[in-house]
Amino acid sequence: MSIRKVAVMGNPVLRQVAKPIPPKEILTPKVQELLQDMVDTMFEYDGRGLAAPQIHESLQALVMIWDFEPEKKPTLLFLINPEIKVLGDEKSSFWEGCLSVPGLRGKVSRPNKIQVTALNQKAEKIEFVAEGFAATVIQHECDHLQGKLYVDKIENMKDFTFNREYSKFIAQESLNGEIDDQAGEE
Ligand code: ZN
């Protein structure tokens, strides 16, 4: 296990379409080590999710923290070669952050409900429906596998801010109920 260097915006690896991992390679030490390095790096940088291209590996794998219960060891979700199908027309907006775009945060609107099909870290096929914030995290991470960043999807550049200013001006308003969004770092 090791903590890897995170690629930041401007690095071409973040703009490449990542290659699928052949299912029979998932259980090999090489891929298992990559997945563990992704976990170690995500925790080191306090992320909620991490995609392989963010540690300079242009492969279709991502990890995210699946539940956020305080004082419990987080449950991790691994998605390899994921596919997303949008369910319904409803959208949700969240203030997103990204370890590859450090110090900044932006408001992005995405489909609220999705169906996800992928392989997990044991090479088993998984299929489930995600909604709300979890659906946003998955879509943010899956975008990394397509060479996209959340900043590409900010509709109004007024909704792009430094973290400090977000905490000072926007999160405060949120607490007062004026803005309905939650913050998240992916
Ligand atoms: Zn990201």
mmCIF file of all heavy atoms in Angstrom, residues 126-156:
data_model
loop_
_atom_site.group_PDB
_atom_site.id
_atom_site.type_symbol
_atom_site.label_atom_id
_atom_site.label_comp_id
_atom_site.label_asym_id
_atom_site.label_seq_id
_atom_site.Cartn_x
_atom_site.Cartn_y
_atom_site.Cartn_z
ATOM 1 N N ILE A 126 -22.009 -6.027 -10.327
ATOM 2 C CA ILE A 126 -22.953 -5.397 -9.404
ATOM 3 C C ILE A 126 -23.841 -4.429 -10.183
ATOM 4 O O ILE A 126 -23.418 -3.833 -11.188
ATOM 5 C CB ILE A 126 -22.247 -4.667 -8.229
ATOM 6 C CG1 ILE A 126 -21.168 -3.701 -8.731
ATOM 7 C CG2 ILE A 126 -21.642 -5.653 -7.261
ATOM 8 C CD1 ILE A 126 -20.613 -2.808 -7.626
ATOM 9 N N GLU A 127 -25.058 -4.296 -9.692
ATOM 10 C CA GLU A 127 -26.019 -3.414 -10.348
ATOM 11 C C GLU A 127 -26.896 -2.807 -9.257
ATOM 12 O O GLU A 127 -27.385 -3.537 -8.390
ATOM 13 C CB GLU A 127 -26.873 -4.227 -11.313
ATOM 14 C CG GLU A 127 -27.590 -3.375 -12.330
ATOM 15 C CD GLU A 127 -28.158 -4.241 -13.451
ATOM 16 O OE1 GLU A 127 -28.686 -5.320 -13.152
ATOM 17 O OE2 GLU A 127 -28.087 -3.817 -14.605
ATOM 18 N N PHE A 128 -27.056 -1.500 -9.258
ATOM 19 C CA PHE A 128 -27.863 -0.864 -8.215
ATOM 20 C C PHE A 128 -28.328 0.511 -8.686
ATOM 21 O O PHE A 128 -27.822 1.045 -9.676
ATOM 22 C CB PHE A 128 -27.064 -0.742 -6.906
ATOM 23 C CG PHE A 128 -25.794 0.058 -7.044
ATOM 24 C CD1 PHE A 128 -25.771 1.416 -6.730
ATOM 25 C CD2 PHE A 128 -24.627 -0.536 -7.503
ATOM 26 C CE1 PHE A 128 -24.601 2.163 -6.868
ATOM 27 C CE2 PHE A 128 -23.458 0.210 -7.648
ATOM 28 C CZ PHE A 128 -23.442 1.553 -7.322
ATOM 29 N N VAL A 129 -29.270 1.054 -7.930
ATOM 30 C CA VAL A 129 -29.767 2.397 -8.217
ATOM 31 C C VAL A 129 -29.238 3.334 -7.139
ATOM 32 O O VAL A 129 -29.216 2.985 -5.959
ATOM 33 C CB VAL A 129 -31.319 2.395 -8.239
ATOM 34 C CG1 VAL A 129 -31.878 3.809 -8.315
ATOM 35 C CG2 VAL A 129 -31.819 1.548 -9.416
ATOM 36 N N ALA A 130 -28.778 4.508 -7.548
ATOM 37 C CA ALA A 130 -28.285 5.512 -6.584
ATOM 38 C C ALA A 130 -29.052 6.811 -6.816
ATOM 39 O O ALA A 130 -29.424 7.137 -7.943
ATOM 40 C CB ALA A 130 -26.789 5.734 -6.754
ATOM 41 N N GLU A 131 -29.235 7.545 -5.719
ATOM 42 C CA GLU A 131 -29.978 8.809 -5.799
ATOM 43 C C GLU A 131 -29.254 9.898 -5.040
ATOM 44 O O GLU A 131 -28.483 9.627 -4.118
ATOM 45 C CB GLU A 131 -31.345 8.638 -5.115
ATOM 46 C CG GLU A 131 -32.386 7.972 -5.966
ATOM 47 C CD GLU A 131 -33.740 7.958 -5.261
ATOM 48 O OE1 GLU A 131 -34.379 9.019 -5.196
ATOM 49 O OE2 GLU A 131 -34.127 6.883 -4.783
ATOM 50 N N GLY A 132 -29.575 11.146 -5.373
ATOM 51 C CA GLY A 132 -29.121 12.300 -4.605
ATOM 52 C C GLY A 132 -27.610 12.419 -4.575
ATOM 53 O O GLY A 132 -26.938 12.269 -5.593
ATOM 54 N N PHE A 133 -27.073 12.661 -3.362
ATOM 55 C CA PHE A 133 -25.643 12.934 -3.232
ATOM 56 C C PHE A 133 -24.798 11.752 -3.720
ATOM 57 O O PHE A 133 -23.788 11.944 -4.414
ATOM 58 C CB PHE A 133 -25.304 13.279 -1.780
ATOM 59 C CG PHE A 133 -23.871 13.681 -1.591
ATOM 60 C CD1 PHE A 133 -23.382 14.853 -2.143
ATOM 61 C CD2 PHE A 133 -23.001 12.873 -0.873
ATOM 62 C CE1 PHE A 133 -22.046 15.218 -1.995
ATOM 63 C CE2 PHE A 133 -21.662 13.234 -0.716
ATOM 64 C CZ PHE A 133 -21.196 14.405 -1.271
ATOM 65 N N ALA A 134 -25.206 10.519 -3.379
ATOM 66 C CA ALA A 134 -24.441 9.336 -3.825
ATOM 67 C C ALA A 134 -24.395 9.283 -5.349
ATOM 68 O O ALA A 134 -23.350 8.976 -5.946
ATOM 69 C CB ALA A 134 -25.066 8.064 -3.259
ATOM 70 N N ALA A 135 -25.522 9.604 -5.987
ATOM 71 C CA ALA A 135 -25.565 9.595 -7.455
ATOM 72 C C ALA A 135 -24.622 10.652 -8.022
ATOM 73 O O ALA A 135 -23.963 10.435 -9.049
ATOM 74 C CB ALA A 135 -26.993 9.838 -7.937
ATOM 75 N N THR A 136 -24.530 11.789 -7.335
ATOM 76 C CA THR A 136 -23.617 12.847 -7.783
ATOM 77 C C THR A 136 -22.162 12.407 -7.667
ATOM 78 O O THR A 136 -21.372 12.603 -8.588
ATOM 79 C CB THR A 136 -23.872 14.148 -6.973
ATOM 80 O OG1 THR A 136 -24.935 14.858 -7.606
ATOM 81 C CG2 THR A 136 -22.667 15.061 -6.954
ATOM 82 N N VAL A 137 -21.810 11.777 -6.530
ATOM 83 C CA VAL A 137 -20.419 11.332 -6.348
ATOM 84 C C VAL A 137 -20.054 10.320 -7.445
ATOM 85 O O VAL A 137 -18.994 10.410 -8.073
ATOM 86 C CB VAL A 137 -20.188 10.713 -4.948
ATOM 87 C CG1 VAL A 137 -18.752 10.192 -4.820
ATOM 88 C CG2 VAL A 137 -20.469 11.727 -3.844
ATOM 89 N N ILE A 138 -20.956 9.377 -7.701
ATOM 90 C CA ILE A 138 -20.674 8.355 -8.724
ATOM 91 C C ILE A 138 -20.489 9.015 -10.096
ATOM 92 O O ILE A 138 -19.546 8.699 -10.827
ATOM 93 C CB ILE A 138 -21.797 7.297 -8.767
ATOM 94 C CG1 ILE A 138 -21.787 6.475 -7.472
ATOM 95 C CG2 ILE A 138 -21.628 6.384 -9.979
ATOM 96 C CD1 ILE A 138 -22.992 5.562 -7.301
ATOM 97 N N GLN A 139 -21.369 9.966 -10.418
ATOM 98 C CA GLN A 139 -21.259 10.611 -11.733
ATOM 99 C C GLN A 139 -19.983 11.448 -11.829
ATOM 100 O O GLN A 139 -19.325 11.476 -12.879
ATOM 101 C CB GLN A 139 -22.487 11.494 -11.999
ATOM 102 C CG GLN A 139 -23.738 10.658 -12.229
ATOM 103 C CD GLN A 139 -24.987 11.521 -12.322
ATOM 104 O OE1 GLN A 139 -25.305 12.045 -13.375
ATOM 105 N NE2 GLN A 139 -25.688 11.676 -11.213
ATOM 106 N N HIS A 140 -19.621 12.112 -10.735
ATOM 107 C CA HIS A 140 -18.373 12.892 -10.709
ATOM 108 C C HIS A 140 -17.175 11.975 -10.981
ATOM 109 O O HIS A 140 -16.311 12.290 -11.800
ATOM 110 C CB HIS A 140 -18.262 13.576 -9.338
ATOM 111 C CG HIS A 140 -16.972 14.310 -9.099
ATOM 112 N ND1 HIS A 140 -16.928 15.653 -8.815
ATOM 113 C CD2 HIS A 140 -15.684 13.883 -9.084
ATOM 114 C CE1 HIS A 140 -15.657 16.012 -8.648
ATOM 115 N NE2 HIS A 140 -14.878 14.962 -8.793
ATOM 116 N N GLU A 141 -17.149 10.820 -10.284
ATOM 117 C CA GLU A 141 -16.015 9.900 -10.451
ATOM 118 C C GLU A 141 -16.023 9.246 -11.837
ATOM 119 O O GLU A 141 -14.968 9.070 -12.451
ATOM 120 C CB GLU A 141 -16.021 8.825 -9.357
ATOM 121 C CG GLU A 141 -15.893 9.347 -7.931
ATOM 122 C CD GLU A 141 -14.704 10.257 -7.711
ATOM 123 O OE1 GLU A 141 -13.711 10.158 -8.451
ATOM 124 O OE2 GLU A 141 -14.779 11.093 -6.790
ATOM 125 N N CYS A 142 -17.215 8.884 -12.322
ATOM 126 C CA CYS A 142 -17.294 8.277 -13.657
ATOM 127 C C CYS A 142 -16.864 9.279 -14.729
ATOM 128 O O CYS A 142 -16.272 8.884 -15.742
ATOM 129 C CB CYS A 142 -18.699 7.756 -13.930
ATOM 130 S SG CYS A 142 -19.062 6.232 -13.034
ATOM 131 N N ASP A 143 -17.152 10.556 -14.507
ATOM 132 C CA ASP A 143 -16.679 11.583 -15.449
ATOM 133 C C ASP A 143 -15.154 11.551 -15.573
ATOM 134 O O ASP A 143 -14.607 11.746 -16.660
ATOM 135 C CB ASP A 143 -17.114 12.981 -14.994
ATOM 136 C CG ASP A 143 -18.498 13.358 -15.516
ATOM 137 O OD1 ASP A 143 -19.103 12.563 -16.261
ATOM 138 O OD2 ASP A 143 -18.960 14.465 -15.169
ATOM 139 N N HIS A 144 -14.463 11.316 -14.450
ATOM 140 C CA HIS A 144 -12.989 11.238 -14.497
ATOM 141 C C HIS A 144 -12.530 10.156 -15.480
ATOM 142 O O HIS A 144 -11.495 10.285 -16.118
ATOM 143 C CB HIS A 144 -12.414 10.900 -13.118
ATOM 144 C CG HIS A 144 -12.269 12.091 -12.210
ATOM 145 N ND1 HIS A 144 -11.497 13.181 -12.520
ATOM 146 C CD2 HIS A 144 -12.787 12.346 -10.986
ATOM 147 C CE1 HIS A 144 -11.554 14.058 -11.526
ATOM 148 N NE2 HIS A 144 -12.324 13.584 -10.578
ATOM 149 N N LEU A 145 -13.327 9.076 -15.579
ATOM 150 C CA LEU A 145 -12.944 7.967 -16.466
ATOM 151 C C LEU A 145 -13.170 8.313 -17.931
ATOM 152 O O LEU A 145 -12.672 7.643 -18.825
ATOM 153 C CB LEU A 145 -13.726 6.697 -16.094
ATOM 154 C CG LEU A 145 -13.672 6.292 -14.610
ATOM 155 C CD1 LEU A 145 -14.457 5.014 -14.389
ATOM 156 C CD2 LEU A 145 -12.237 6.136 -14.130
ATOM 157 N N GLN A 146 -13.940 9.402 -18.148
ATOM 158 C CA GLN A 146 -14.194 9.858 -19.517
ATOM 159 C C GLN A 146 -13.380 11.114 -19.855
ATOM 160 O O GLN A 146 -13.635 11.787 -20.853
ATOM 161 C CB GLN A 146 -15.695 10.172 -19.699
ATOM 162 C CG GLN A 146 -16.611 8.985 -19.438
ATOM 163 C CD GLN A 146 -16.314 7.799 -20.337
ATOM 164 O OE1 GLN A 146 -16.025 7.956 -21.512
ATOM 165 N NE2 GLN A 146 -16.358 6.599 -19.766
ATOM 166 N N GLY A 147 -12.447 11.461 -18.990
ATOM 167 C CA GLY A 147 -11.613 12.640 -19.240
ATOM 168 C C GLY A 147 -12.318 13.959 -18.958
ATOM 169 O O GLY A 147 -11.920 15.006 -19.479
ATOM 170 N N LYS A 148 -13.369 13.900 -18.116
ATOM 171 C CA LYS A 148 -14.118 15.130 -17.798
ATOM 172 C C LYS A 148 -13.923 15.522 -16.339
ATOM 173 O O LYS A 148 -13.757 14.653 -15.477
ATOM 174 C CB LYS A 148 -15.611 14.915 -18.043
ATOM 175 C CG LYS A 148 -15.962 14.671 -19.494
ATOM 176 C CD LYS A 148 -17.464 14.438 -19.614
ATOM 177 C CE LYS A 148 -17.805 13.787 -20.930
ATOM 178 N NZ LYS A 148 -19.053 13.036 -20.854
ATOM 179 N N LEU A 149 -13.999 16.825 -16.079
ATOM 180 C CA LEU A 149 -13.903 17.343 -14.706
ATOM 181 C C LEU A 149 -15.187 18.100 -14.377
ATOM 182 O O LEU A 149 -15.858 18.608 -15.284
ATOM 183 C CB LEU A 149 -12.714 18.287 -14.583
ATOM 184 C CG LEU A 149 -11.333 17.667 -14.826
ATOM 185 C CD1 LEU A 149 -10.258 18.749 -14.829
ATOM 186 C CD2 LEU A 149 -11.006 16.606 -13.774
ATOM 187 N N TYR A 150 -15.479 18.213 -13.085
ATOM 188 C CA TYR A 150 -16.733 18.890 -12.706
ATOM 189 C C TYR A 150 -16.760 20.335 -13.176
ATOM 190 O O TYR A 150 -17.818 20.879 -13.457
ATOM 191 C CB TYR A 150 -16.978 18.786 -11.188
ATOM 192 C CG TYR A 150 -16.264 19.806 -10.350
ATOM 193 C CD1 TYR A 150 -16.826 21.061 -10.115
ATOM 194 C CD2 TYR A 150 -15.011 19.552 -9.793
ATOM 195 C CE1 TYR A 150 -16.167 22.016 -9.350
ATOM 196 C CE2 TYR A 150 -14.362 20.485 -9.037
ATOM 197 C CZ TYR A 150 -14.940 21.722 -8.811
ATOM 198 O OH TYR A 150 -14.274 22.669 -8.072
ATOM 199 N N VAL A 151 -15.568 20.929 -13.285
ATOM 200 C CA VAL A 151 -15.530 22.348 -13.698
ATOM 201 C C VAL A 151 -16.122 22.532 -15.096
ATOM 202 O O VAL A 151 -16.636 23.603 -15.417
ATOM 203 C CB VAL A 151 -14.096 22.937 -13.651
ATOM 204 C CG1 VAL A 151 -13.570 22.952 -12.228
ATOM 205 C CG2 VAL A 151 -13.136 22.162 -14.545
ATOM 206 N N ASP A 152 -16.087 21.473 -15.915
ATOM 207 C CA ASP A 152 -16.670 21.549 -17.265
ATOM 208 C C ASP A 152 -18.183 21.737 -17.186
ATOM 209 O O ASP A 152 -18.810 22.135 -18.160
ATOM 210 C CB ASP A 152 -16.431 20.238 -18.047
ATOM 211 C CG ASP A 152 -14.965 19.825 -18.083
ATOM 212 O OD1 ASP A 152 -14.109 20.685 -17.829
ATOM 213 O OD2 ASP A 152 -14.685 18.645 -18.357
ATOM 214 N N LYS A 153 -18.765 21.375 -16.040
ATOM 215 C CA LYS A 153 -20.232 21.312 -15.931
ATOM 216 C C LYS A 153 -20.821 22.405 -15.067
ATOM 217 O O LYS A 153 -22.024 22.384 -14.775
ATOM 218 C CB LYS A 153 -20.621 19.942 -15.377
ATOM 219 C CG LYS A 153 -20.126 18.835 -16.298
ATOM 220 C CD LYS A 153 -20.792 17.525 -16.093
ATOM 221 C CE LYS A 153 -20.459 16.627 -17.279
ATOM 222 N NZ LYS A 153 -20.935 15.274 -17.121
ATOM 223 N N ILE A 154 -19.990 23.350 -14.634
ATOM 224 C CA ILE A 154 -20.534 24.467 -13.852
ATOM 225 C C ILE A 154 -21.297 25.369 -14.829
ATOM 226 O O ILE A 154 -20.721 25.853 -15.805
ATOM 227 C CB ILE A 154 -19.405 25.257 -13.149
ATOM 228 C CG1 ILE A 154 -18.647 24.345 -12.175
ATOM 229 C CG2 ILE A 154 -19.962 26.477 -12.425
ATOM 230 C CD1 ILE A 154 -17.399 24.966 -11.593
ATOM 231 N N GLU A 155 -22.588 25.540 -14.577
ATOM 232 C CA GLU A 155 -23.403 26.300 -15.534
ATOM 233 C C GLU A 155 -23.194 27.792 -15.395
ATOM 234 O O GLU A 155 -23.221 28.536 -16.370
ATOM 235 C CB GLU A 155 -24.888 25.955 -15.343
ATOM 236 C CG GLU A 155 -25.222 24.594 -15.941
ATOM 237 C CD GLU A 155 -26.572 24.060 -15.503
ATOM 238 O OE1 GLU A 155 -27.405 24.844 -15.022
ATOM 239 O OE2 GLU A 155 -26.771 22.839 -15.644
ATOM 240 N N ASN A 156 -23.006 28.235 -14.158
ATOM 241 C CA ASN A 156 -22.864 29.668 -13.912
ATOM 242 C C ASN A 156 -21.536 29.896 -13.184
ATOM 243 O O ASN A 156 -21.357 29.423 -12.067
ATOM 244 C CB ASN A 156 -24.047 30.140 -13.047
ATOM 245 C CG ASN A 156 -24.035 31.635 -12.853
ATOM 246 O OD1 ASN A 156 -23.014 32.306 -13.072
ATOM 247 N ND2 ASN A 156 -25.167 32.174 -12.443
#
